[in-house]
């Protein structure tokens, strides 16, 4: 005799039919202060994300009680901004740990799919000129299209114990290459590089290099620190400045490049899952990379909505300062000529 097998909802088993979940919870029932303190963002921003991602989060399911897009967005935001799957977030949302993990995975993939929409360099001439003007207004550095640097995000040791993810500090991490504009909005984000790779090697192999060497603007450059090689499209500081012009160049370079460090601090402050205070990201390198990229997308969307947290005090765990890198010397004579011309034209 065949025995029927029932497929049970894990949330129903855990909480019962009377449990108040966010599928029965309306955003208008709570204050903006509650939403910001619990999920990191106000109501208008959350509603925008639900509209943006709703189609991707409403894919057909065989579960008897699918989780609404609104609930999935709130669950993911709660994780990104708190860095924890712990009881407080589970109680606030009213879903099981397993369901919350699915929500984070679904929202993360939906945001990653939209990364090209929100993270990209401007293309029309007016927008490119505006980009340069914004940078020039900071410290008088001309022709800047973006500032570039790398930052590490700690992850758990991969199952294969791949040593390629062990960084200079002996920790498992992903080395993330990013470029931002003068407001701190990201123009490029490559979040998948193993932590053992030096910054200069990451840049050498990155899609960003291919873009700038084959496609992007020939009348401007990125600014990078001394961990990178000088290139025709990447201006680095002088190792030992000697003349007043060289000192002025280095000062303008440092003041402008500082925007990317400020941006890294902002992203870690807003998205606590990346700052290490709750431990490492407990996912494979691939999934961790996607979570980082999803947070980068949210960072840009938040700036578009006027949610600038640069003025907010940093809280929690601070990223340890990066180790000093050996000064990279360039053998590119054309890059040296361009930098020297920049010194003579704008800083002499």
């Amino acid at each position: 005799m065949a025995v029927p097998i029932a497929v049970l909802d894990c949330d129903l088993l855990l909480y019962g039919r009377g449990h108040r979940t966010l599928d029965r919870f309306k955003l208008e029932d709570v204050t903006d202060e509650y939403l910001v303190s619990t999920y990191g963002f106000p109501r208008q921003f959350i509603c925008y994300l639900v509209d943006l991602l709703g189609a991707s989060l409403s894919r057909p399911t065989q579960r008897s009680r699918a989780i609404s897009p609104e609930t999935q967005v709130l669950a993911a935001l709660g994780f990104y901004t708190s860095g924890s799957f712990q009881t407080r977030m589970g109680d606030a949302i009213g879903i099981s740990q397993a369901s919350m993990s699915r929500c984070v995975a679904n929202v993360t993939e939906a945001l990653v799919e939209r990364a090209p929409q929100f993270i990209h360099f401007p293309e029309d001439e007016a927008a490119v000129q505006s980009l340069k003007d914004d940078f020039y207004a900071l410290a008088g550095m001309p022709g800047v299209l973006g500032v570039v640097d790398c930052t590490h995000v700690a992850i758990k040791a991969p199952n294969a114990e791949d040593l390629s993810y062990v960084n200079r500090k002996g920790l498992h991490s992903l080395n993330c290459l990013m470029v931002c504009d003068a407001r701190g909005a990201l123009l490029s984000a490559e979040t998948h590089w193993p932590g053992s790779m030096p910054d200069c090697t990451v840049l050498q192999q990155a899609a960003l290099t291919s873009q700038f060497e084959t496609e992007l603007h020939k009348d401007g450059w990125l600014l990078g620190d001394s961990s990178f090689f000088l290139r025709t499209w990447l201006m680095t500081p002088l190792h030992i400045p000697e003349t007043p012009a060289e000192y002025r160049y280095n000062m303008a370079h440092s003041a402008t490049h500082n925007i990317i460090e400020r941006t890294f601090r902002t992203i870690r402050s807003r998205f606590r899952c990346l700052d290490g205070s709750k431990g490492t990201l407990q996912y494979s390198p691939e999934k961790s990379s996607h979570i980082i990229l999803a947070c980068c997308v949210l960072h840009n969307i938040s700036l578009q909505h006027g949610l600038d947290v640069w003025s907010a005090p940093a809280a929690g765990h601070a990223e340890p300062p990066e180790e000093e890198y050996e000064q990279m010397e360039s053998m590119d004579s054309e890059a040296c000529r361009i930098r020297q011309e920049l010194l003579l034209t704008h800083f002499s």
Side-chain angles (χ1 to χ4, degrees):
M1 176 180 177
V3 178
I5 299 176
V7 179
L8 300 178
D9 187 307
C10 60
D11 294 331
L12 186 63
L13 285 173
L14 283 172
Y15 298 117
R17 295 186 182 278
H19 189 76
R20 183 172 182 262
T21 73
L22 282 180
D23 287 297
R24 307 183 185 97
F25 178 98
K26 300 299 181 184
L27 285 176
E28 55 266 26
D29 292 342
V30 296
T31 65
D32 261 9
E33 289 76 12
Y34 171 79
L35 292 173
V36 171
S37 65
T38 307
Y39 306 107
F41 293 95
R43 183 188 336 274
Q44 183 179 6
F45 182 88
I46 293 170
C47 290
Y48 172 82
L49 285 183
V50 173
D51 290 341
L52 176 69
L53 307 178
S56 297
L57 301 179
S58 300
R59 291 163 178 157
T61 176
Q62 301 203 359
R63 297 184 64 218
S64 58
R65 186 159 57 95
I67 301 175
S68 70
E70 181 179 281
T71 301
Q72 293 185 62
V73 167
L74 287 167
L77 290 179
F79 168 69
Y80 298 147
T81 58
S82 73
S84 175
F85 281 132
Q86 299 306 314
T87 303
R88 182 183 69 84
M89 189 55 59
D91 288 345
I93 295 176
I95 60 176
S96 69
Q97 174 80 41
S99 291
M100 188 159 177
S101 293
R102 287 196 298 273
C103 291
V104 171
N106 291 343
V107 173
T108 295
E109 293 312 306
L111 287 168
V112 168
E113 288 173 3
R114 289 159 178 80
Q117 176 183 346
F118 292 100
I119 302 176
H120 58 82
F121 284 90
E123 296 180 356
D124 63 275
E125 289 187 14
V128 171
Q129 187 58 50
S130 178
L131 189 63
K132 294 179 182 179
D133 292 344
D134 288 344
F135 275 117
Y136 187 79
L138 292 176
M141 180 69 76
V144 180
L145 299 170
V147 288
V148 59
D149 207 349
C150 289
T151 187
H152 286 258
V153 175
I155 63 172
K156 73 172 184 178
N159 290 334
E161 287 296 330
D162 190 341
L163 294 179
S164 68
Y165 291 95
V166 179
N167 62 29
R168 291 163 62 100
K169 299 176 183 178
L171 305 174
H172 290 84
S173 69
L174 290 169
N175 196 1
C176 305
L177 178 74
M178 301 187 193
V179 180
C180 75
D181 68 12
R183 298 182 307 119
L186 295 172
L187 304 173
S188 177
E190 299 184 36
T191 60
H192 62 283
W193 298 102
S196 67
M197 291 181 65
D199 293 359
C200 61
T201 305
V202 168
L203 181 61
Q204 183 179 1
Q205 299 184 19
L208 179 69
T209 293
S210 177
Q211 282 182 309
F212 267 83
E213 291 186 345
T214 62
E215 302 172 18
L216 284 179
H217 321 284
K218 304 299 183 182
D219 56 345
W221 39 73
L222 302 178
L223 296 187
D225 64 19
S226 57
S227 64
F228 299 115
F229 286 111
L230 178 71
R231 299 170 184 256
T232 57
W233 50 268
L234 177 64
M235 294 292 103
T236 60
L238 290 145
H239 182 34
I240 305 176
E242 296 177 347
T243 68
E246 290 176 347
Y247 276 102
R248 285 192 288 269
Y249 167 85
N250 269 15
M251 289 178 64
H253 187 291
S254 177
T256 307
H257 187 266
N258 184 58
I259 293 296
I260 189 70
E261 298 298 335
R262 198 177 178 191
T263 299
F264 289 156
R265 291 195 297 270
T266 296
I267 292 173
R268 291 177 185 277
S269 175
R270 171 160 273 160
F271 303 106
R272 300 290 298 280
C273 68
L274 307 181
D275 77 354
S277 64
K278 302 290 185 177
T280 62
L281 285 174
Q282 297 298 300
Y283 299 92
S284 68
E286 180 182 8
K287 289 184 178 179
S288 295
S289 169
H290 286 186
I291 287 172
I292 301 167
L293 185 55
C295 290
C296 291
V297 173
L298 288 173
H299 167 76
N300 275 12
I301 297 175
S302 68
L303 290 181
Q304 290 180 7
H305 282 72
L307 302 177
D308 187 347
V309 298
W310 277 11
S311 59
H317 177 82
E319 181 187 14
E322 294 291 334
E323 296 184 16
E324 292 294 327
Y325 287 90
E326 180 182 355
Q327 177 75 27
M328 307 303 295
E329 297 294 343
S330 176
M331 301 301 292
D332 188 333
S333 59
E334 178 64 12
C336 292
R337 185 195 65 77
I338 290 174
R339 185 169 66 180
Q340 189 62 30
E341 182 178 323
L342 181 59
L343 280 163
L344 294 173
T345 305
H346 294 277
F347 296 97
S348 294

